[in-house]
Amino acid sequence: MVMLSTQKSNAPVCRLRQYVLLLACFLWTSFCLVLWALNGGTHIKQFQPPRPKSVLRNNSSSIISASDMGISDEEWERLQKALDWPIPDQEITHWMQSTSPEHSSFSILGVNESYKVGDKLYVTITARDHKKNLKRYGGDFFKAKLFNSEQKASVFGEVVDHRNGTYSVAFLLPWEGQAQVFVRLEHSSEVVQIIKKYTESSFPRTHYNGHFGSGPSKTRISEVVECNLKWGADGSWKKGDCCCEYKDVKTGTVWQCEKPKTLSCDKLVHHSSGRLESPLNMFEQQLFAKKLTNVAISGDKKIINVLSSTAAIGTVEKCRSGLKTLVPAGFYAKDVWKSFVCNTRQFSPEQMGNCLKNKIVYIMGDSTTRQWFEYFERKVPGIKRMYLHTDSATGPLMAVELKNNIIIHWRPHGVPLRFGRVTPITDLHYINSEIDEIAGGPHAVIVFTYCAHLAFHPLTFYVFEVAKIRQSIVALLSRAPDTTVIIKSGNTAGLKDIFLSDWHTLQLNTVMWEMFSDIDGVIFFDVWQMTSCHYLVENIHPRPVIIANEIDMLLSYVCPS
Ligand SMILES: *[C@@H]1O[C@H](CO)[C@@H](O)[C@H](O)[C@H]1NC(C)=O
Ligand SMILES: *[C@@H]1O[C@H](CO)[C@@H](O)[C@H](O)[C@H]1NC(C)=O
Ligand SMILES: *[C@@H]1O[C@H](CO)[C@@H](O)[C@H](O)[C@H]1NC(C)=O
Ligand SMILES: *[C@@H]1O[C@H](CO)[C@@H](O)[C@H](O)[C@H]1NC(C)=O
């Protein structure tokens, strides 16, 4: 139960349309936010020319067609190319054949006496197995950065997979002073292959609870049963006529709960996350051992001296929609993120208030955007949370500032959602449905993220949901083109288990990025690099210093200078 539930939110909501209609008017000031998944900073192009290979997958997901996902065959092909990731070209029978963090290493190419700001530093990574043999195929998931602890400076490096056991990174040297290289093996390609297999299978890695209830409190009958997503022709986690089905009218998403013994299907009231279930067999567990996951590899510890340069570094580009995530997208210096994507500034509390004056901010998604809500609540002068009789972890939440007429809403997205607390199902709204209820306009800022909780379910389902969100955003921007729409990517978390790997996050970010790349007027705010290269230990909930930088960047989009 780990992950997302640490931030304690409660139960997700399901989207029972009937309930939704009933409750919709209550709490109606809620909001929406969306964000977009991430694209790993580097978006998508993390690994080069794809050569699709067949994966060891169960056939259940291959039954899902592009039209089931609500997209064209061409788009699905394009997505699959963007998502392609090399895997072992041979059957692995012993864990010693997998990539070893201990024996893999990196080296700096042709070290020069000195470097200038704006120069590049070239690094090669060589992957070896546990018997020290060179690997012959690619697919290892490395993370690379350049850092200077004293200056609290760091920059992300994109790892290019040559598909022959070697990888390269071309780091930009953005600050004056010293710099050192750091490389981690997040997952061996053998582990990526396992993650990939289960991502595409219908194995239910996570379970949920449905809390049914009926009657007045004194004589109330309650029952708790298991619930889950129904997806695909045989995608049901339960066989036969097992379940109550709750189909969202707009998205077509079907949520299922086992039939309660005494109560009828319309008595579902609350949602909560349930147990996690590992699909790994013994052999897979050996490959996936924690000590082999997210481990620093050894290499050239040489300190690079970077001299100042007259060459301009940085950008004067105004923050707006349509900008691509660059590599690097920016860098930290003294813990402040300097973006190369657009001209980001730092906002004092007063400037935050001025920027948000006369705005309604609809923030949606998961606990990572709730962190944004809470940050605003702490910083914007005079802002107060209204008590909506909801749990502070699961929301919905709302804060207002009367002098400048600021309203900020936060709410979680619909099921599937792994919030630990028990939440009224009626409070869990799908992002697309929320957006459909917002008139939009120059005063409206819609921010959402949709990533972490979806890592437990098939990627085809994610594509389906994102396609629905896209439809709603296209409609919104058609009726109210002045609306600000910002999609936040998923951040890195550095977790060491099968359930929510950064590899999943990278894939979901890629989908979000690809599917919105042609939609004018949408801002992609990619936080992957900001969380991947920071010196703090990665956390599914980025620490305050990172959130502060994210908010400065967010506000730079809302109020560009
Ligand atoms: C995949 O299929 C195999 C053989 O059909 C079956 O034994 C296995 O349990 C399935 N795995 C999952 C995760 O569904
Ligand atoms: C999966 O589908 C392929 C092609 O349709 C078929 O050849 C193969 O036998 C199937 N595998 C399993 C485990 O059902
Ligand atoms: C080293 O510096 C020289 C001269 O500035 C430059 O031409 C060369 O590309 C540099 N080599 C590397 C590996 O950066
Ligand atoms: C791997 O491929 C890269 C790029 O094509 C090449 O430069 C390198 O020499 C190759 N390494 C090995 C060990 O084959």
Side-chain angles (χ1 to χ4, degrees):
M1 324 247 124
V2 230
M3 34 206 70
L4 304 171
S5 39
T6 49
Q7 239 3 17
K8 54 246 218 80
S9 308
N10 278 348
V13 170
C14 269
R15 217 119 267 214
L16 310 187
R17 192 65 194 166
Q18 48 289 46
Y19 280 74
V20 169
L21 290 177
L22 283 175
L23 303 193
C25 345
F26 181 40
L27 305 176
W28 222 191
T29 31
S30 328
F31 30 28
C32 329
L33 274 208
V34 173
L35 81 67
W36 76 285
L38 19 143
N39 134 113
T42 327
H43 25 305
I44 325 185
K45 304 265 139 75
Q46 183 107 335
F47 282 76
Q48 300 252 301
R51 227 184 310 132
K53 280 180 196 150
S54 63
V55 185
L56 316 167
R57 69 165 88 161
N58 272 354
N59 283 348
S60 54
S61 67
S62 53
I63 301 169
I64 309 273
S65 68
S67 71
D68 293 332
M69 289 179 260
I71 61 172
S72 67
D73 290 337
E74 294 71 38
E75 181 165 25
W76 181 226
E77 247 172 61
R78 185 163 63 89
L79 283 177
Q80 285 179 295
K81 267 196 191 147
L83 293 167
D84 179 62
W85 192 281
I87 56 167
D89 59 5
Q90 61 181 60
E91 204 193 330
I92 304 300
T93 52
H94 197 280
W95 68 271
M96 299 278 280
Q97 293 168 280
S98 68
T99 305
S100 156
E102 192 186 341
H103 301 311
S104 299
S105 61
F106 66 86
S107 56
I108 299 172
L109 286 188
V111 185
N112 264 344
E113 275 301 294
S114 65
Y115 292 84
K116 290 198 293 292
V117 168
D119 283 354
K120 292 256 170 89
L121 181 72
Y122 299 93
V123 167
T124 299
I125 303 170
T126 306
R128 289 193 180 77
D129 67 17
H130 291 268
K131 292 177 174 161
K132 303 190 186 176
N133 296 318
L134 292 172
K135 298 290 298 270
R136 290 181 296 98
Y137 50 83
D140 295 310
F141 181 15
F142 288 105
K143 284 183 186 166
K145 67 180 175 185
L146 206 61
F147 73 100
N148 176 326
S149 304
E150 257 168 42
Q151 296 183 29
K152 297 191 169 174
S154 56
V155 65
F156 172 90
E158 180 174 33
V159 177
V160 176
D161 185 348
H162 297 300
R163 297 179 179 240
N164 60 7
T166 65
Y167 300 76
S168 54
V169 190
F171 287 104
L172 178 71
L173 298 168
W175 65 82
E176 188 186 334
Q178 300 186 331
Q180 245 183 304
V181 178
F182 182 80
V183 179
R184 274 175 296 171
L185 178 63
E186 187 79 17
H187 298 306
S188 64
S189 56
E190 292 74 19
V191 161
V192 171
Q193 182 177 34
I194 296 169
I195 299 176
K196 199 164 169 175
K197 171 176 112 180
Y198 289 112
T199 301
E200 295 174 22
S201 86
S202 56
F203 187 96
R205 283 169 287 143
T206 175
H207 295 263
Y208 303 91
N209 298 317
H211 304 250
F212 288 70
S214 179
S217 50
K218 274 191 180 155
T219 55
R220 190 164 177 85
I221 303 171
S222 303
E223 281 184 63
V224 181
V225 299
E226 275 206 345
C227 304
N228 218 320
L229 176 69
K230 181 181 184 185
W231 177 243
D234 79 334
S236 184
W237 50 290
K238 284 263 166 189
K239 301 293 167 220
D241 179 29
C242 57
C243 299
C244 298
E245 293 202 348
Y246 307 95
K247 182 168 182 171
D248 179 64
V249 174
K250 274 195 175 162
T251 60
T253 308
V254 180
W255 190 248
Q256 288 184 318
C257 292
E258 291 170 310
K259 284 187 180 148
K261 291 206 174 59
T262 55
L263 295 172
S264 57
C265 288
D266 60 347
K267 299 292 190 281
L268 175 61
V269 185
H270 289 94
H271 170 90
S272 65
S273 66
R275 69 201 155 92
L276 294 172
E277 186 176 3
S278 172
L280 302 181
N281 61 35
M282 296 288 281
F283 175 56
E284 290 167 343
Q285 282 173 26
Q286 285 180 330
L287 289 170
F288 216 126
K290 284 195 167 36
K291 65 177 173 34
L292 304 180
T293 302
N294 194 3
V295 182
I297 66 170
S298 59
D300 207 331
K301 294 277 189 307
K302 186 179 163 58
I303 289 171
I304 304 298
N305 282 303
V306 187
L307 306 176
S308 68
S309 152
T310 48
I313 186 159
T315 177
V316 292
E317 180 81 62
K318 187 173 145 181
C319 292
R320 57 175 172 84
S321 64
L323 299 174
K324 282 209 166 69
T325 300
L326 307 169
V327 183
F331 67 103
Y332 284 105
K334 302 211 171 72
D335 253 343
V336 174
W337 180 256
K338 310 210 169 165
S339 173
F340 291 136
V341 174
C342 61
N343 186 10
T344 311
R345 57 198 170 105
Q346 288 179 274
F347 288 77
S348 67
E350 286 65 32
Q351 288 168 331
M352 291 172 80
N354 289 336
C355 171
L356 297 175
K357 190 176 167 116
N358 286 319
K359 298 261 193 264
I360 306 181
V361 186
Y362 302 89
I363 305 178
M364 294 177 278
D366 56 30
S367 48
T368 64
T369 49
R370 192 188 59 224
Q371 289 182 278
W372 286 5
F373 175 92
E374 290 162 351
Y375 187 87
F376 283 131
E377 209 180 14
R378 282 197 304 277
K379 297 286 178 177
V380 176
I383 200 162
K384 288 279 176 297
R385 184 186 291 202
M386 302 296 293
Y387 180 52
L388 301 182
H389 304 270
T390 58
D391 183 284
S392 62
T394 58
L397 306 175
M398 176 168 108
V400 298
E401 195 271 273
L402 297 178
K403 187 163 103 346
N404 286 310
N405 190 36
I406 300 167
I407 306 177
I408 304 180
H409 296 289
W410 173 81
R411 77 175 316 141
H413 61 68
V415 288
L417 184 70
R418 279 191 59 81
F419 276 1
R421 296 197 196 163
V422 177
T423 307
I425 195 95
T426 42
D427 280 344
L428 302 184
H429 300 180
Y430 286 102
I431 287 173
N432 64 300
S433 301
E434 278 303 305
I435 291 173
D436 287 346
E437 310 283 350
I438 297 171
H443 64 279
V445 178
I446 294 179
V447 183
F448 71 93
T449 192
Y450 189 65
C451 185
H453 295 253
L454 284 303
F456 301 91
H457 297 280
L459 186 110
T460 49
F461 172 70
Y462 187 72
V463 173
F464 168 83
E465 294 279 289
V466 172
K468 301 288 177 185
I469 295 174
R470 183 170 63 180
Q471 272 176 0
S472 293
I473 288 183
V474 168
L476 167 73
L477 290 174
S478 161
R479 70 179 171 267
D482 294 338
T483 311
T484 302
V485 178
I486 301 174
I487 306 178
K488 174 179 99 65
S489 74
N491 50 260
T492 62
L495 295 170
K496 298 187 175 217
D497 58 44
I498 176 77
F499 301 109
L500 178 50
S501 150
D502 284 350
W503 189 82
H504 285 123
T505 303
L506 192 55
Q507 295 268 301
L508 300 187
N509 283 347
T510 300
V511 168
M512 187 66 90
W513 164 262
E514 287 285 330
M515 291 183 69
F516 275 93
S517 58
D518 296 339
I519 310 293
D520 288 341
V522 175
I523 293 160
F524 285 94
F525 175 17
D526 191 336
V527 299
W528 178 272
Q529 296 182 36
M530 294 176 80
T531 51
S532 179
C533 77
H534 196 268
Y535 59 85
L536 287 174
V537 174
E538 287 174 321
N539 193 305
I540 182 72
H541 298 119
R543 302 293 87 192
V545 60
I546 298 174
I547 297 292
N549 279 295
E550 289 179 356
I551 293 287
D552 280 334
M553 185 103 199
L554 176 73
L555 291 178
S556 296
Y557 279 112
V558 177
C559 305
S561 54

